[in-house]
Amino acid sequence: MNRMDALLIIDVQNDFIPGGSLPVPGGEEIVPVINGLMDRFDLVLATQDWHPQDHMSFASNHKGNKPFEQIVHQGLDQILWPDHCVQGTQGAGFHPALNVNPIEAIIRKGMDPDIDSYSGFYDNGHKKSTGLSGYLKEKGSRVLYCCGLAADVCVYFTIKDALKEGFKVKLIADATRALDEEKFAEMAEELKGLGMESVLSGSL
């Protein structure tokens, strides 16, 4: 790997850790792995889900609907989630054991109350960029190492957009966890077909 390669930590936030409102099984296990990787990169970035309380993806904002039901909103399929990562709450904060000191920039997403944003690059309708692609290119980073939560939602969509943006992407497989590991196994095969590589932290 090259020192110009970037490490992108995706949504390692309290609400996605067991004990949070939308827990990813084993989510806490990746924190020490990620901490052990940071000093190998000159550029470390993180994404952070940062929803307003009235966000349209929350089941609580749809009378008669329950979490994990699916609706169509503005022509897009939308899973309704439990309230999570509400701006300024403890649940939206990074896991307390995550070493945030090396993180050069935090890309917040999901702030528009009317559209969800799984990817660290764009909202789900690809209407608005977060600026992450331009930031990486300005820094000279063309290879992106991805880790974080949840593998089958925000990690998947972030990697898919990164590949479309022309980045070479490597998933650090032991530094991510999925809500549904079987589903993500299929997703990972799709991403590999698009050019993603899967690596283990010990090989870096």
Side-chain angles (χ1 to χ4, degrees):
M1 59 180 285
N2 188 302
R3 294 294 301 190
M4 294 302 298
D5 297 347
L7 176 66
L8 181 61
I9 304 163
I10 299 163
D11 297 3
V12 181
Q13 295 168 258
N14 291 319
D15 271 342
F16 298 133
I17 303 292
S21 64
L22 186 51
V24 178
E28 76 286 356
E29 298 167 359
I30 70 172
V31 176
V33 180
I34 295 171
N35 285 343
L37 290 169
M38 291 190 192
D39 65 356
R40 303 181 199 184
F41 294 86
D42 284 344
L43 181 59
V44 179
L45 307 174
T47 66
Q48 187 177 25
D49 244 11
W50 197 250
H51 296 307
Q53 184 63 65
D54 62 347
H55 199 264
M56 53 71 59
S57 73
F58 295 168
S60 62
N61 291 323
H62 298 266
K63 190 174 180 179
N65 288 102
K66 297 177 181 177
F68 305 108
E69 290 183 349
Q70 188 164 306
I71 64 168
V72 176
H73 182 79
Q74 293 189 348
L76 299 172
D77 291 336
Q78 175 66 51
I79 296 172
L80 296 179
W81 304 104
D83 290 18
H84 65 278
C85 299
V86 175
Q87 297 171 0
T89 65
Q90 182 179 356
F94 292 115
H95 187 283
L98 183 71
N99 179 14
V100 297
N101 292 334
I103 298 173
E104 183 169 316
I106 296 167
I107 306 296
R108 286 178 167 169
K109 59 191 181 68
M111 298 174 70
D112 184 336
D114 208 36
I115 192 166
D116 216 349
S117 187
Y118 297 156
S119 167
F121 288 88
Y122 293 95
D123 62 59
N124 288 4
H126 277 73
K127 297 175 182 176
K128 185 178 178 183
S129 166
T130 64
L132 176 56
S133 181
Y135 190 96
L136 287 164
K137 290 171 182 175
E138 176 70 22
K139 292 288 185 177
S141 296
R142 297 292 175 165
V143 180
L144 195 57
Y145 285 77
C146 293
C147 59
L149 304 170
D152 48 343
V153 188
C154 295
V155 174
Y156 166 80
F157 284 99
T158 296
I159 289 174
K160 202 166 185 179
D161 278 346
L163 291 165
K164 287 179 183 175
E165 290 291 309
F167 294 98
K168 185 174 182 180
V169 182
K170 300 190 180 189
L171 171 68
I172 307 171
D174 54 334
T176 187
R177 294 288 185 276
L179 287 166
D180 183 335
E181 290 291 350
E182 285 188 19
K183 179 182 175 185
F184 182 65
E186 296 177 7
M187 290 175 151
E189 288 306 310
E190 176 198 345
L191 293 173
K192 287 175 185 176
L194 296 172
M196 181 197 80
E197 294 179 39
S198 183
V199 298
L200 295 174
S201 60
S203 68
L204 301 183

